[in-house]
Amino acid sequence: SARAKAQAEAGQVVLENVAIVPLALLFCLIAWQLVLTGVTFMYMGHAADEGARAAAIGKPASVVTREATEALPASMRSGATVTRPSPSSVQVSLPVPLVVPGWVSVSRITTEQKVVVEP
């Protein structure tokens, strides 16, 4: 009787593992997507800072765009959009890399950096 009970419990462990593995994989996918989004925000902020710095010392719009774009890793440059919505700001927009394409509805994020004009 003790042997039959141990065998029944062994089957329960298999069922629990089958249920846990997909949940663990889903958790890992969500965590990795959050990491990718955070890294995108970090690089985008750095690019906006570089563009604002170039604008602050009076460089033309083409140079501001180039400086901001060059501050990004090569893999992110093709999707970057750098704009000057006003003379006092630089805006950078990037697509968020997706772990599973079509899984997340937010496909682009944007940040804006104010330009502090140097005397």
Side-chain angles (χ1 to χ4, degrees):
S1 173
R3 183 177 220 174
K5 187 176 181 179
Q7 287 177 344
E9 288 177 5
Q12 179 67 28
V13 170
V14 170
L15 288 175
E16 288 172 359
N17 285 340
V18 168
I20 295 275
V21 169
L23 289 175
L25 288 174
L26 180 64
F27 175 76
C28 289
L29 285 174
I30 291 170
W32 186 244
Q33 184 62 59
L34 290 173
V35 167
L36 288 174
T37 303
V39 167
T40 303
F41 269 111
M42 180 189 69
Y43 281 125
M44 188 175 53
H46 180 63
D49 287 344
E50 290 297 319
R53 186 173 296 119
I57 58 175
K59 292 189 178 179
S62 61
V63 176
V64 170
T65 300
R66 189 182 76 233
E67 293 280 333
T69 304
E70 287 179 357
L72 294 168
S75 61
M76 292 182 160
R77 290 180 186 164
S78 64
T81 304
V82 180
T83 57
R84 297 275 316 265
S86 72
S88 63
S89 66
V90 174
Q91 197 173 62
V92 178
S93 177
L94 283 174
V96 177
L98 298 176
V99 174
V100 180
W103 184 37
V104 179
S105 62
V106 177
S107 59
R108 286 188 82 79
I109 52 177
T110 304
T111 190
E112 189 171 332
Q113 181 65 37
K114 298 295 180 191
V115 174
V116 178
V117 179
E118 298 290 328

